[in-house]
Amino acid sequence: WVVEAVGLTRVFPDAVAVRALDGVDVRIARGEFVAIMGPSGSGKSTLLHLVGALDRPTDGVIRVDGQDLAAVDDLDRFRARSIGFIFQMHNLLPTLTAAENVAVPMQGIGVPAATRRTRSLELLDSLGLAHLAHRLPNQLSGGQRQRVAVARALANDPSLILADEPTGNLDSTSGGEVVKRFQSLAHEHGKTIVLVTHDPVVALAAGRIISLRDGRIDQDEQVDEA
Amino acid sequence: WVVEAVGLTRVFPDAVAVRALDGVDVRIARGEFVAIMGPSGSGKSTLLHLVGALDRPTDGVIRVDGQDLAAVDDLDRFRARSIGFIFQMHNLLPTLTAAENVAVPMQGIGVPAATRRTRSLELLDSLGLAHLAHRLPNQLSGGQRQRVAVARALANDPSLILADEPTGNLDSTSGGEVVKRFQSLAHEHGKTIVLVTHDPVVALAAGRIISLRDGRIDQDEQVDEA
Ligand SMILES: Nc1ncnc2c1ncn2[C@@H]1O[C@H](COP(=O)(O)OP(=O)(O)OP(=O)(O)O)[C@@H](O)[C@H]1O
Ligand SMILES: Nc1ncnc2c1ncn2[C@@H]1O[C@H](COP(=O)(O)OP(=O)(O)OP(=O)(O)O)[C@@H](O)[C@H]1O
Ligand SMILES: [Mg+2]
Ligand SMILES: [Mg+2]
């Protein structure tokens, strides 16, 4: 399994403890394209952050590529090499250009500068953003920033891509292009994609839809891919 | 007219100057609920920021409630009293609780502390968020932050509400509730709503859809309200 969660639980302290994720079991195989849906506050971002080793569970186990994340020595290195993450709030670095933002993960694994530059421009170009390479995030529209965040997640050609509502700020055309890109990464390049979305059109482009409610899995269904 | 734009233009400097908005004429009457749609980068946020006096045009005129914004003495005060703005990137203050964030516009116009507290809790409650009043933004989900931003925009009971993709991070249920709230504010309370959205379901709830393309108005159509 590329992703295996067993009894995955995340509790946040509060006046009343918040069971943001409450015993989730999930198995995802290589090359799957999985959509995660559910009401606001149902635990989707929490699940994605646990799978992406950006947070630690309170209970239960999360394995990526067969490795228990709790037992990995260098989590930063593990993440930088194998996982591409697209955040719900894009989190571009405000003082770096679009091209420099895309290059950050490559720097993290020691890719030489000239290669970073070339690959960064290619990734931006593949999303129709080449003309924006030199811009700072505050010189971009919301949807342009979101697409730069998509390019950044693909920088190290990761085998697992975790996307938290990557089309929320996109019109149907640019959103459709991002989704087609994910489909091609899964079907033609064997990447595994886990994508959180509120958009049923996007979810139907995936092969499987997992629905969360109150921190638990409510449904887990195969879909005939659109 | 509550909103009147004549030849409204905003150019950003770049290697090639960017005509983000390129001669826009729009008139919006009191009590209208208007949706603005268009491709990523077509100028929607730029238009909203000019109407909301958060940016100045390069050319053309923008009047709100009959006043040329270029001639208003105290723009901050004008904005604080009359305009509620919901940003595409919610922009909650990270060190303030949800309730304190909602209260910020009230502080800006000198509302006493006890009244701010009561009204803030009422507004959060009306969006189903009363139990989150004491949380910091980083203790909230993306959609919860977005709805706190909606509550904040309503704090001073403004006559003009400008919303930049307020449902992008919401599931259909909570998104539908926010849209119904806007409909009621327009139809029952005479508020004027200008809402940017990529979601056709949301746009059809408005009475009119304005479509932008490359900084210009492409279409401006009345809709039979859903
Ligand atoms: N400071 C800036 N310098 C240069 N160009 C800018 C700047 N700010 C915005 N732009 C450009 O102006 C255009 C309009 O931007 P705007 O944010 O209004 O688009 P939008 O319609 O809201 O897009 P989205 O749906 O992606 O939010 C975009 O092409 C953007 O790249
Ligand atoms: N630090 C925290 N302290 C307390 N509660 C938290 C914290 N972080 C998140 N939560 C709560 O955990 C629950 C799950 O949050 P999560 O961000 O995973 O939801 P989500 O499904 O991604 O929602 P959305 O669709 O709105 O993005 C929410 O009810 C949220 O308020
Ligand atoms: Mg989320
Ligand atoms: Mg925008």
Side-chain angles (χ1 to χ4, degrees), chain A residues 23-76:
Chain A
V24 161
D25 302 325
V26 163
R27 289 195 183 118
I28 301 176
R30 182 159 310 283
E32 278 200 72
F33 180 3
V34 182
I36 301 186
M37 303 190 82
S40 174
S42 56
K44 306 180 297 297
S45 295
T46 302
L47 174 58
L48 222 63
H49 281 243
L50 290 170
V51 173
L54 293 164
D55 187 17
R56 291 192 171 277
T58 314
D59 209 354
V61 182
I62 175 67
R63 291 186 195 96
V64 173
D65 285 339
Q67 301 199 46
D68 183 340
L69 294 185
V72 170
D73 287 326
D74 189 342
L75 260 187
D76 287 337

Side-chain angles (χ1 to χ4, degrees), chain A residues 1-13:
Chain A
W1 301 109
V2 172
V3 177
E4 185 180 17
V6 186
L8 199 60
T9 297
R10 179 62 163 107
V11 181
F12 291 108

